[in-house]
C-alpha cells in the first residue's frame, strides 16, 4: 500500500508549526496505525531526518496516550477504538492521510503530534477520589450492596481512559464528557457520597480554570469517544452540580 502522509510538525509549544508531506509505501493492511508511524520514523531516521514525535504507551487501547487527529477525526475513521487499535485496512492504496495533534487550549503542543494533557490530571486531583478509613477497620467494598443498574452505569463511566478525544472533537474544546464520566463514576456508588458536594464543584472549577469550553450539545464527543462514554454522564454531572450549588 502506498500512501501520502501530511503530518503536523512543530518543534515546541511556541514554535510555528506546519504540515509536512511524506510519501510512504510498503504498508500492510494488517499493520496498526502506530506501526505505520514506526515505518515512517524508521524511514526518516535512515534518511537523516528527525522522526515524528507522537505519544504512545500500551498499544492495547487502555492508556489513551496515542491521541492523534486523523483525517479530521479523533483516533481516525473507525469507531470505539483508539489510534493504536486502528488498522491500516481502513485506508486504501493511494490515500492521503492528514495527521494532526489534538487541538485545545487545555492541551498545549509539546512537539509535533504530542500534547500536554496534564490538565486532565489536575481535574482528577481536584476531586476524583473517595475517602477510605485506613485505621485497620476498613470495610470490604464488595460487602456494600449496590443496585445492579448503578453498578453497571458506574463501571461504564469508569472505562473513560482520559485520552481527550472528547475535547478534540468538540468545537468548544469542552471537557464535560471527561469530567462527567469521572463525577458519575463516584456519584453512583455509596463510597462516593462523602465528597459528593465538593467533588463536582471542585472538578468543574478546575475544568474551567484549565481553559476548556462549555458543552456544545452537538454530541460529537460521544461519537468519537473510543470507549463509548455516554452523554448521560454530562447530564448527571449537571444535576450533581446544581444540587451541590444549592447545598453550598
Amino acid at each position: 500500500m502506498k500512501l501520502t502522509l501530511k503530518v503536523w510538525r512543530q518543534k515546541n509549544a511556541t514554535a510555528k508549526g506546519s504540515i509536512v508531506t511524506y510519501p510512504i509505501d510498503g504498508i500492510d493492511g494488517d499493520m496498526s496505525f502506530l506501526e505505520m508511524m514506526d515505518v515512517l520514523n524508521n524511514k526518516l531516521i535512515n534518511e537523516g531526518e528527525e522522526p515524528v514525535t507522537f505519544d504512545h504507551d500500551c498499544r492495547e487501547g487502555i492508556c489513551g496516550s496515542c491521541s492523534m487527529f486523523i483525517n479530521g477525526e479523533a483516533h481516525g475513521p473507525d469507531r470505539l477504538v483508539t489510534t493504536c487499535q486502528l488498522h491500516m485496512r481502513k485506508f486504501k492504496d493511494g490515500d492521503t492521510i492528514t495527521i494532526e495533534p489534538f487541538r485545545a487550549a487545555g492541551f498545549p503542543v509539546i512537539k509535533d503530534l504530542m500534547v500536554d494533557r496534564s490538565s486532565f490530571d489536575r481535574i482528577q486531583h481536584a476531586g476524583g477520589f473517595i475517602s477510605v478509613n485506613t485505621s485497620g477497620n476498613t470495610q470490604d467494598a464488595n460487602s456494600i450492596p449496590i443496585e445492579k443498574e448503578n453498578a453497571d452505569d458506574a463501571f461504564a463511566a469508569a472505562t473513560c481512559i482520559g485520552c481527550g478525544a472528547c475535547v478534540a472533537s468538540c468545537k468548544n474544546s469542552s471537557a464535560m464528557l471527561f469530567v462527567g464520566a469521572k463525577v458519575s463514576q463516584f456519584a453512583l456508588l455509596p463510597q462516593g457520597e462523602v465528597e459528593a458536594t465538593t467533588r463536582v464543584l471542585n472538578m468543574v472549577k478546575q475544568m474551567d480554570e484549565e481553559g476548556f469550553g462549555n458543552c456544545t450539545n452537538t454530541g460529537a464527543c460521544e461519537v468519537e469517544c473510543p470507549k463509548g462514554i455516554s452523554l448521560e454522564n454530562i447530564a448527571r454531572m449537571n444535576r450533581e452540580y446544581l444540587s451541590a450549588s444549592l447545598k453550598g
Side-chain angles (χ1 to χ4, degrees):
M1 188 185 297
K2 291 184 178 180
L3 301 168
T4 299
L5 304 180
K6 292 183 174 294
V7 184
W8 182 261
R9 303 301 307 262
Q10 184 173 341
K11 288 188 175 181
N12 53 55
T14 57
K16 184 178 180 181
S18 63
I19 292 286
V20 179
T21 301
Y22 299 105
I24 190 171
D25 59 21
I27 302 301
D28 191 282
D30 289 334
M31 285 182 179
S32 72
F33 198 86
L34 295 189
E35 288 171 333
M36 183 277 294
M37 293 296 295
D38 292 337
V39 172
L40 170 64
N41 276 347
N42 286 334
K43 177 176 180 287
L44 292 176
I45 291 170
N46 290 333
E47 293 173 352
E49 296 186 44
E50 189 170 2
V52 177
T53 298
F54 60 94
D55 212 353
H56 62 98
D57 191 6
C58 74
R59 299 200 176 202
E60 294 179 340
I62 299 172
C63 73
S65 62
C66 56
S67 299
M68 299 181 191
F69 215 59
I70 303 166
N71 283 348
E73 294 184 85
H75 297 295
D78 212 351
R79 296 278 77 85
L80 300 177
V81 298
T82 54
T83 299
C84 65
Q85 297 173 303
L86 176 65
H87 285 90
M88 296 311 296
R89 67 178 72 99
K90 284 290 178 180
F91 302 92
K92 298 176 182 176
D93 185 36
D95 273 359
T96 296
I97 305 174
T98 302
I99 311 167
E100 300 170 89
F102 281 6
R103 300 187 186 281
F107 291 164
V109 172
I110 296 174
K111 186 174 182 180
D112 295 336
L113 304 175
M114 179 182 283
V115 300
D116 180 359
R117 288 176 294 147
S118 59
S119 52
F120 271 15
D121 295 333
R122 291 189 287 274
I123 293 172
Q124 186 75 5
H125 293 165
F129 51 82
I130 62 171
S131 294
V132 176
N133 183 350
T134 58
S135 63
N137 298 315
T138 307
Q139 187 176 7
D140 184 353
N142 292 327
S143 68
I144 302 174
I146 300 172
E147 292 184 8
K148 180 68 165 57
E149 184 178 349
N150 286 347
D152 288 346
D153 289 345
F155 183 83
T159 60
C160 170
I161 55 176
C163 66
C166 50
V167 172
S169 305
C170 179
K171 56 189 176 186
N172 280 357
S173 297
S174 172
M176 292 187 76
L177 190 66
F178 166 76
V179 180
K182 298 306 176 186
V183 168
S184 293
Q185 176 183 347
F186 299 112
L188 290 160
L189 302 176
Q191 292 90 339
E193 292 178 0
V194 179
E195 294 94 353
T197 300
T198 55
R199 174 181 302 113
V200 67
L201 294 177
N202 290 341
M203 293 184 80
V204 170
K205 179 175 181 289
Q206 189 65 41
M207 174 180 69
D208 291 340
E209 290 178 357
E210 297 291 347
F212 295 108
N214 291 322
C215 177
T216 63
N217 296 314
T218 54
C221 54
E222 182 184 66
V223 173
E224 300 294 347
C225 175
K227 298 301 176 183
I229 301 298
S230 170
L231 288 173
E232 292 178 3
N233 292 295
I234 294 179
R236 185 178 295 106
M237 179 188 70
N238 287 335
R239 293 194 296 271
E240 289 283 320
Y241 187 83
L242 176 60
S243 175
S245 298
L246 293 175
K247 290 177 182 176

